Each structure stands twice: as structure tokens, then as C-alpha cells.
Amino acid sequence: RELFGILCHQDLLGAVRKILVDADDIRIFPNYSARPKTRFEVHDVVWHQDAGLRYDGGPNTAPIEERLAAFGPGVTVNCWTPLIPARVVNGAMKFVPRSHQRGILPH
């Protein structure tokens, strides 16, 4: 219930609506998750683009058009919400500047 309250918070939904202006609906992806981020290697998440991966974490080889229809700009928004202080030592989110301009890269 607590996670649902965060995911459905009106401020968050309002921000997402500003990004997904053409969306009829906003829905929570059915496998939303809470992922531990600690300094331990077992919790490492390697660099990736969501559209570059299959549901099981393997490389997505579907046609680019299909992946963009499911994960492209204006279709999907991921909201990362740390539940503990986000620091370099415990795996703060890293972004590759302007990577969204390079399209979906091979994984």
C-alpha cells in the first residue's frame, strides 16, 4: 500500500501528465519494483536503456519501431524514487548526458 501511495501521488501523476501529453491513460507497469541500492556488488544495476532489454533482462532484438512504440518518447516515463539517501557509494542513479538523442543502442 505504501508504494502504491507514492506511485499514485497527485504531484507525481501531474508531472507525468505534462510529459505524456497525448496519453489517454497513465498506468503503473505491472511489474513495478522496489530495488535495493547498496554499496554491495550484488545490488549493482548496469547501464541500460529499458527499450534495449527484454522483460527477462536479456537484449531486446525486436524491431526498433516496435520498441519505440512501447518505450519511446511520449509513451513511457520511469520515475526513480530513492527511499534512502542517494549517494555514489550506494549506487545513485547515473545518466549519460544527451543519450536520449542517440536512439536505442545495442545491448
Side-chain angles (χ1 to χ4, degrees):
R1 290 181 189 199
E2 290 81 6
L3 189 56
F4 187 79
I6 293 170
L7 294 171
C8 295
H9 193 279
Q10 290 304 310
D11 290 345
L12 178 60
L13 293 177
V16 170
R17 282 233 175 263
K18 289 179 181 178
I19 297 168
L20 301 179
V21 294
D22 294 327
D24 293 329
D25 263 331
I26 294 175
R27 70 179 180 96
I28 299 169
F29 201 72
N31 69 341
Y32 64 86
S33 61
R35 180 180 298 163
K37 298 284 284 174
T38 70
R39 60 186 170 88
F40 302 107
E41 189 175 330
V42 70
H43 295 142
D44 281 353
V45 177
V46 299
W47 178 92
H48 69 279
Q49 296 168 300
D50 289 345
L53 300 176
R54 294 188 314 251
Y55 68 91
D56 63 358
N60 191 337
T61 57
I64 292 290
E65 298 77 20
E66 185 178 313
R67 290 188 267 163
L68 286 174
F71 293 100
V75 178
T76 301
V77 174
N78 281 335
C79 302
W80 182 65
T81 307
L83 302 176
I84 61 172
R87 305 205 185 338
V88 171
V89 71
N90 67 341
M93 181 74 75
K94 298 176 186 174
F95 295 90
V96 177
R98 294 174 295 288
S99 60
H100 65 288
Q101 297 171 346
R102 298 180 61 198
I104 301 171
L105 303 175
H107 284 65

